[in-house]
Amino acid sequence: MSTTTASAYAAPATSSASQDVLALVGRVLIALLFVPAGFGKLMGFAGTVGYIGSVGLPLPQLGAAIAVIVEIGVGLAFLVGYKTRIAAIVLALFTVAASVFFHNYWALPADKAFVNQLMFFKNIAVAGGLLAFVAFGAGRFSIDRR
């Protein structure tokens, strides 16, 4: 592995033990949003397909399959710190896209807009947290670090 490639996955030189623990806890907490949701979509695949189709997206079966793969597969990679920066950017993009399509509060009646606006901005904040992992990596307690 070249020095450039190795440094892309290493913790910053100034990383402390507490920062590494916090990075691990952060990965676990963020993964809790994705992995169980992915299993829920897998177990209720027909319902997931129906929901995706109900918002007018094309190819709802493909969309549901992509959602399951991203939430479970990429979510687990992020959890264990495997190719964390790539996993985090994929999850961030997925989250922003899902927010735009499924929490489009700007197009809803007032009685439904409030909750969807909260969900939209919660997801945007999660994407921001994921981008911090893109910037700083997974920390010492990760597969990337090994």
Side-chain angles (χ1 to χ4, degrees):
M1 181 180 293
S2 72
T3 306
T4 305
T5 304
S7 66
Y9 295 107
T14 59
S15 177
S16 68
S18 63
Q19 288 172 315
D20 291 323
V21 169
L22 289 171
L24 173 62
V25 171
R27 287 196 332 268
V28 169
L29 294 175
I30 290 174
L32 282 173
L33 285 171
F34 294 101
V35 177
F39 280 110
K41 286 176 179 66
L42 181 62
M43 296 297 106
F45 194 77
T48 301
V49 170
Y51 182 62
I52 292 171
S54 77
V55 298
L57 291 175
L59 305 169
Q61 287 182 317
L62 178 61
I66 291 169
V68 168
I69 291 166
V70 168
E71 289 183 342
I72 296 174
V74 180
L76 287 172
F78 181 79
L79 174 65
V80 299
Y82 176 72
K83 299 199 184 272
T84 306
R85 287 184 160 113
I86 295 167
I89 195 79
V90 169
L91 290 171
L93 292 171
F94 173 82
T95 301
V96 169
S99 298
V100 169
F101 290 115
F102 298 103
H103 298 298
N104 57 341
Y105 67 91
W106 53 88
L108 297 174
D111 62 325
K112 294 184 180 183
F114 180 72
V115 171
N116 276 280
Q117 184 178 19
L118 288 175
M119 297 298 286
F120 178 87
F121 283 107
K122 182 261 312 170
N123 284 357
I124 296 305
V126 168
L130 287 161
L131 293 178
F133 281 95
V134 174
F136 300 108
R140 193 176 333 176
F141 304 118
S142 65
I143 291 175
D144 289 344
R145 184 67 173 178
R146 302 225 178 284

